[in-house]
Amino acid sequence: FAYGDASNVKISDDFDANVILALNFLHHFNEEFIVEFATMLSKKFPKATFIFDYNVGVNKVEIITRRLLNLGFKMEVFPNEEFRGRVIFSITFDND
């Protein structure tokens, strides 16, 4: 596990991950941070899957989805019926 402040996360160089879970806290950050966070993780763990939830309305989910897809991330989004409450994102960083 990596424990710390997500806005200033320090991950040791000898740490590796296949799956990265970020649950129940990213809704405290704006869309720009989410995109930067995913990009940083993709560089650090290029073969990993990043799973996170975002507890916001449809506009923010659409912004994040569009921005991540434009960056070339392969992803799935699992919303509830109204894109409200917990929306789960699953991003595969491996672009092979």
Side-chain angles (χ1 to χ4, degrees), residues 33-73:
F33 175 82
I34 304 301
V35 173
E36 290 173 7
F37 190 64
T39 302
M40 179 274 298
L41 291 173
S42 73
K43 290 176 183 172
K44 181 77 175 163
F45 308 106
K47 301 287 185 186
T49 298
F50 177 36
I51 299 170
F52 69 97
D53 65 340
Y54 204 52
N55 299 322
V56 296
V58 64
N59 292 340
K60 289 186 178 191
V61 170
E62 288 175 351
I63 290 168
I64 292 169
T65 301
R66 184 174 51 253
R67 295 214 35 220
L68 292 171
L69 288 173
N70 286 341
L71 289 171
F73 289 112

Side-chain angles (χ1 to χ4, degrees), residues 8-94:
N8 192 22
V9 67
K10 303 281 190 254
I11 302 171
S12 111
D13 288 337
D14 62 341
F15 186 79
D16 196 13
N18 293 324
V19 177
I20 302 161
L21 297 174
L23 301 174
N24 297 318
F25 71 91
L26 287 176
H27 57 273
H28 296 287
F29 297 96
N30 64 29
E31 304 84 28
E32 184 67 30
F33 175 82
I34 304 301
V35 173
E36 290 173 7
F37 190 64
T39 302
M40 179 274 298
L41 291 173
S42 73
K43 290 176 183 172
K44 181 77 175 163
F45 308 106
K47 301 287 185 186
T49 298
F50 177 36
I51 299 170
F52 69 97
D53 65 340
Y54 204 52
N55 299 322
V56 296
V58 64
N59 292 340
K60 289 186 178 191
V61 170
E62 288 175 351
I63 290 168
I64 292 169
T65 301
R66 184 174 51 253
R67 295 214 35 220
L68 292 171
L69 288 173
N70 286 341
L71 289 171
F73 289 112
K74 296 176 186 175
M75 58 186 280
E76 293 183 67
V77 179
F78 303 95
N80 64 19
E81 307 92 42
E82 300 173 357
F83 273 88
R84 294 189 181 280
R86 179 175 288 176
V87 176
I88 305 294
F89 288 78
S90 177
I91 303 171
T92 303
F93 293 141
D94 184 10

